[in-house]
Amino acid sequence: MRKENKFFVISDIVMVILSLYIALLLKYDFKVDVRYMKLFKGSIIPVVILMVIFNKLFNLYNNMWKYASIDELLSIVYSVSLTNVVFIVYSYILTHLKIAQFKFDFYRFPYTVHIIFWMLSVLLLGGTRFAYRASYESKKNREGVSKNKIRLLMVGAGDAAATLIKEIKRSKKLNYDIIGLIDDDGEKLGKLIYGVKVVGNRNDINKFCNENEIQEIIVAIPSAPEESRKEIFNICKNTKCKLRTFPSISDIIDGKLDMKKVRDVSIEDLLGREEVKLNTENIEKYIKGKTILVTGGGGSIGSELCRQVSRFNPKKLIILDIYENNAYDLQMELNYKAPKLDKDVIIASIRDKKRLNEVFEKFKPDVVFHAAAHKHVPLMEGNPAEAIKNNVLGTFNVLKCCDEYGVGKFVQISTDKAVNPTNIMGATKRFCELMVQAFDKVSKTEFVAVRFGNVLGSNGSVIPLFKKQIAHGGPVTLTHPDINRFFMTIPEAAQLVIQAGAMAHGGEIFVLDMGKPVKIMDLAKDLITLSGFNPGEDIKIEITGLRPGEKLYEELLMSEVALTSTEHEKIHVEKPMDIQMSFIENSIEDFKEVLKENDKEEIYKIMENKVPTYKRKKD
């Protein structure tokens, strides 16, 4: 038997004797008849024996009392109750047999004594155990503080915060010392949640963190509007504390609020906008019950298009990609998240027209989202022939198949780098836009393009690069201190692409509202801060100079063309240009000829000739 349980055996003996004695005193106003005192002395041994037996029966000497809870309290109630019942039966047996050797005038106590005895026994036996637990918790808390617990401030004083506080206090693994709560509800100021005080509102965050040496902040307001959460994140990032948060309530699929849902605040949280509102009725009209093909389906945008399309119950989803690993990962994900979705994964290159013919002949897609492309500006500057083979000739193959096999709608994924391009990648994407408009004039298929800027967290984008550099201790490399870009989240971009497809009548270039441009320097500083470091001190920022073909800023529309609004506030349309199919076909032949020589200078020259807005930026 462990040391603590030996203590409880001795303590229980003392407490049960004390309970019976006090019960007698209370019953008779502290003037107990000598006969009852005589009976009391004769009852001590049987009561103690009964109590120890039933305590053992209910495992009261096997429990870890530092973790005592309601279940353990119920065990005490059961044990004390049975002890009382058996003691009463024992007393009646003695009375009935009138055992002379006890020499008592009577053999039982009044029922009132038993009731008081029961209450006192539960109180004293339970009290000693829960006092033991309280002592343990107090000691643990003192030890925890001395063992460098993380000093935590929690933003929010609602259900989410209450759940976290309770879980943190119970768990030995969560090494937090919760210093205070922040909430904008003035009525909560000064109130306590599980012993943690509401100390102020969002305007007090910086001051409180400085005065109390806060190390980490958890934003526990999952039901708050996106704009309000963003404001709080931007306040918190100036504290230099590590930031963590619950996702928004719409992202908590199972509805549970616990520490497993808490994650680090991301750059998307700081730049996030209100959720995109889709016209699902229009989208269902061209997605539901249709066969949908997504080229580049394993990539960042392509895979998200596949996820979003799966929500609208297509007849079949065809995921086409040259890179099998990404396509396989997406297939496994959709097997789990959308088990009823009819899908096929096709490994193929858009450069291979014969293979594309086989795919279109077999599946006869109704809608094609074309996301397959080479997109890395510096890499394509060094490999212009590959940019043309994939982005131009590959896209031409897909466009031809859509026309030949009677596809209902084709949606080209374009980029802001196609606007007044200064690099070969942007120029190839601009030529793709021209092809889309030319094909739309001669085909029954509705051909459209959707143009948007950088996508947060996509493969090869600046954010994953910065995160890797920060993880290695820096420096974070930046090409220019004044460079800026438009940003959009992957789901937001994919949803707006699908929405634009629903609006398309053919020939349009849809331009997505990207909000305000973001300075990459600010982005780098925010990422460093969110990682718990001081920009320029813990992690250096190194300026490396603009790369070949790189702009200081991007444009979303051609300067000589006006945009018109659409029914969706975030989608605009650019006026179509008069592009002839003969120009496209002749250009394709010219591209093929120049590729035979693989002369970079000639490739650049022909691209400048085919895309008049392309102005090559030379070193």
Side-chain angles (χ1 to χ4, degrees):
M1 186 180 289
R2 296 200 320 274
K3 185 177 179 180
E4 69 173 15
N5 285 324
K6 288 180 181 178
F7 162 77
F8 283 125
V9 170
I10 296 169
S11 124
D12 287 350
I13 291 171
V14 173
M15 293 303 167
V16 79
I17 294 172
L18 190 60
S19 296
L20 186 57
Y21 181 65
I22 294 174
L24 275 171
L25 292 177
L26 293 175
K27 167 64 179 172
Y28 295 105
D29 295 327
F30 294 89
K31 295 177 183 178
V32 184
D33 188 293
V34 68
R35 293 174 301 170
Y36 281 114
M37 289 304 298
K38 185 178 180 182
L39 179 59
F40 164 73
K41 292 175 183 177
S43 301
I44 289 174
I45 292 176
V47 167
V48 167
I49 292 172
L50 288 171
M51 182 271 305
V52 172
I53 290 172
F54 286 119
N55 281 2
K56 282 194 170 186
L57 180 66
F58 287 99
N59 294 315
L60 296 187
Y61 302 128
N62 294 326
N63 287 326
M64 299 280 286
W65 287 100
K66 60 188 178 183
Y67 305 122
S69 65
I70 296 298
D71 290 338
E72 283 72 27
L73 179 60
L74 288 175
S75 296
I76 292 170
V77 172
Y78 298 148
S79 177
V80 170
S81 298
L82 277 174
T83 298
N84 247 308
V85 169
V86 175
F87 181 45
I88 291 171
V89 173
Y90 165 80
S91 300
Y92 267 100
I93 292 173
L94 289 184
T95 301
H96 180 71
L97 296 176
K98 296 181 181 178
I99 300 174
Q101 60 265 35
F102 284 99
K103 299 178 182 179
F104 298 148
D105 296 322
F106 42 82
Y107 296 90
R108 67 181 183 83
F109 295 109
Y111 289 123
T112 308
V113 172
H114 285 285
I115 293 171
I116 298 172
F117 170 56
W118 179 87
M119 290 190 291
L120 289 173
S121 296
V122 170
L123 181 64
L124 293 177
L125 268 66
T128 54
R129 284 163 170 79
F130 281 90
Y132 178 85
R133 175 185 168 173
S135 173
Y136 169 78
E137 290 289 341
S138 177
K139 180 182 177 183
K140 186 177 77 169
N141 289 338
R142 290 194 302 271
E143 289 177 350
V145 172
S146 66
K147 290 181 180 177
N148 297 319
K149 279 196 170 186
I150 298 168
R151 295 177 65 80
L152 174 67
L153 174 67
M154 204 171 290
V155 179
D159 292 341
T163 300
L164 289 185
I165 294 168
K166 193 173 182 180
E167 191 170 348
I168 288 169
K169 285 181 173 287
R170 282 184 173 180
S171 175
K172 293 173 69 177
K173 295 180 180 179
L174 299 173
N175 191 39
Y176 287 111
D177 184 16
I178 310 173
I179 306 302
L181 296 168
I182 291 290
D183 200 284
D184 288 338
D185 185 350
E187 293 184 0
K188 294 180 179 180
L189 186 63
K191 301 290 178 63
L192 299 175
I193 298 180
Y194 295 117
V196 182
K197 189 176 182 180
V198 179
V199 295
N201 59 36
R202 69 176 70 184
N203 297 321
D204 301 311
I205 290 175
N206 278 289
K207 181 181 178 183
F208 187 83
C209 288
N210 290 334
E211 292 177 351
N212 294 274
E213 299 179 347
I214 301 298
Q215 297 166 283
E216 188 168 318
I217 299 173
I218 294 180
V219 179
I221 46 172
S223 61
E226 197 65 37
E227 193 61 32
S228 179
R229 286 162 57 86
K230 176 185 171 183
E231 289 174 6
I232 290 172
F233 292 143
N234 279 298
I235 291 172
C236 292
K237 77 178 184 184
N238 295 322
T239 64
K240 299 182 180 180
C241 298
K242 181 177 176 60
L243 291 185
R244 307 191 74 202
T245 184
F246 266 131
S248 65
I249 201 72
S250 61
D251 293 331
I252 305 175
I253 298 172
D254 58 9
K256 294 180 180 177
L257 299 173
D258 55 45
M259 280 299 293
K260 293 178 182 177
K261 301 290 191 308
V262 175
R263 59 168 174 77
D264 290 346
V265 170
S266 67
I267 200 68
E268 289 88 343
D269 293 313
L270 295 179
L271 300 177
R273 298 187 290 276
E274 289 295 331
E275 182 182 1
V276 173
K277 295 178 175 62
L278 299 179
N279 186 332
T280 56
E281 183 179 346
N282 286 349
I283 292 173
E284 282 189 336
K285 285 180 182 178
Y286 85 104
I287 297 290
K288 187 176 181 180
K290 302 293 179 61
T291 298
I292 312 299
L293 168 64
V294 181
T295 69
S300 303
I301 296 296
S303 62
E304 186 61 28
L305 281 170
C306 292
R307 294 183 191 98
Q308 298 291 342
V309 164
S310 69
R311 296 167 47 201
F312 294 97
N313 300 312
K315 178 183 177 182
K316 180 184 282 290
L317 174 63
I318 306 158
I319 303 165
L320 187 147
D321 205 299
I322 188 61
Y323 184 49
E324 73 274 18
N325 289 349
N326 284 348
Y328 174 78
D329 289 342
L330 178 62
Q331 182 183 39
M332 293 300 100
E333 178 187 333
L334 292 177
N335 284 346
Y336 175 74
K337 292 184 177 179
K340 295 182 180 179
L341 176 67
D342 185 5
K343 61 187 174 300
D344 277 275
V345 176
I346 307 298
I347 303 303
S349 171
I350 60 172
R351 298 184 187 186
D352 188 344
K353 178 63 162 58
K354 183 180 178 182
R355 176 68 171 133
L356 287 179
N357 285 342
E358 293 171 358
V359 173
F360 277 76
E361 176 66 36
K362 179 179 179 180
F363 295 105
K364 294 183 171 56
D366 299 295
V367 180
V368 173
F369 291 101
H370 181 44
H374 287 328
K375 65 177 185 177
H376 298 287
V377 170
L379 286 179
M380 293 305 101
E381 284 302 291
N383 301 273
E386 297 305 308
I388 291 175
K389 288 177 187 176
N390 200 67
N391 294 3
V392 175
L393 302 185
T395 297
F396 183 78
N397 290 337
V398 178
L399 292 168
K400 288 284 287 183
C401 284
C402 288
D403 176 45
E404 292 167 0
Y405 291 92
V407 171
K409 197 181 294 279
F410 169 92
V411 183
Q412 161 80 31
I413 308 301
S414 192
T415 169
D416 55 357
K417 293 173 180 62
V419 182
N420 299 321
T422 58
N423 53 72
I424 197 73
M425 193 284 285
T428 60
K429 297 297 279 186
R430 176 56 183 160
F431 191 80
C432 288
E433 292 180 352
L434 301 181
M435 288 195 291
V436 164
Q437 294 187 328
F439 265 87
D440 187 71
K441 286 185 175 183
V442 299
S443 175
K444 292 181 179 179
T445 301
E446 294 177 353
F447 292 94
V448 299
V450 181
R451 185 192 295 158
F452 52 87
N454 296 273
V455 177
L456 288 167
S458 63
N459 294 331
S461 70
V462 69
I463 290 174
L465 172 63
F466 284 172
K467 286 181 177 179
K468 288 179 182 178
Q469 291 174 332
I470 292 167
H472 287 97
V476 169
T477 56
L478 189 66
T479 58
H480 194 285
D482 297 324
I483 195 168
N484 65 34
R485 291 290 181 266
F486 292 95
F487 283 99
M488 182 176 281
T489 66
I490 294 176
E492 186 178 18
Q495 289 172 21
L496 289 175
V497 166
I498 295 172
Q499 183 73 76
M503 297 176 179
H505 298 294
E508 301 99 333
I509 295 177
F510 290 99
V511 180
L512 304 188
D513 179 2
M514 303 291 294
K516 296 178 180 178
V518 177
K519 286 190 69 172
I520 305 300
M521 174 65 82
D522 294 338
L523 198 66
K525 289 179 178 178
D526 284 346
L527 276 171
I528 293 169
T529 300
L530 290 177
S531 302
F533 301 107
N534 292 325
E537 297 176 17
D538 304 323
I539 303 289
K540 301 294 183 184
I541 298 176
E542 185 178 296
I543 305 300
T544 59
L546 290 173
R547 298 172 298 180
E550 187 175 34
K551 292 181 181 181
L552 270 180
Y553 60 93
E554 301 290 359
E555 304 154 273
L556 283 178
L557 66 155
M558 306 299 286
S559 59
E560 71 273 15
V561 185
L563 292 182
T564 57
S565 60
T566 68
E567 62 191 65
H568 196 289
E569 61 181 4
K570 288 180 177 278
I571 302 176
H572 306 277
V573 64
E574 183 179 283
K575 182 181 177 182
M577 296 181 68
D578 186 19
I579 306 298
Q580 300 301 314
M581 194 65 198
S582 57
F583 167 74
I584 297 299
E585 290 174 338
N586 291 335
S587 296
I588 293 297
E589 293 305 315
D590 291 341
F591 281 130
K592 288 179 179 178
E593 284 299 317
V594 78
L595 289 176
K596 291 178 181 178
E597 302 298 326
N598 197 23
D599 185 322
K600 284 186 180 181
E601 288 303 317
E602 289 302 314
I603 291 173
Y604 290 131
K605 285 180 182 178
I606 194 171
M607 185 57 76
E608 287 177 331
N609 177 261
K610 302 300 180 183
V611 180
T613 55
Y614 170 45
K615 303 299 179 186
R616 182 187 175 195
K617 188 175 181 180
K618 298 180 180 180
D619 298 339

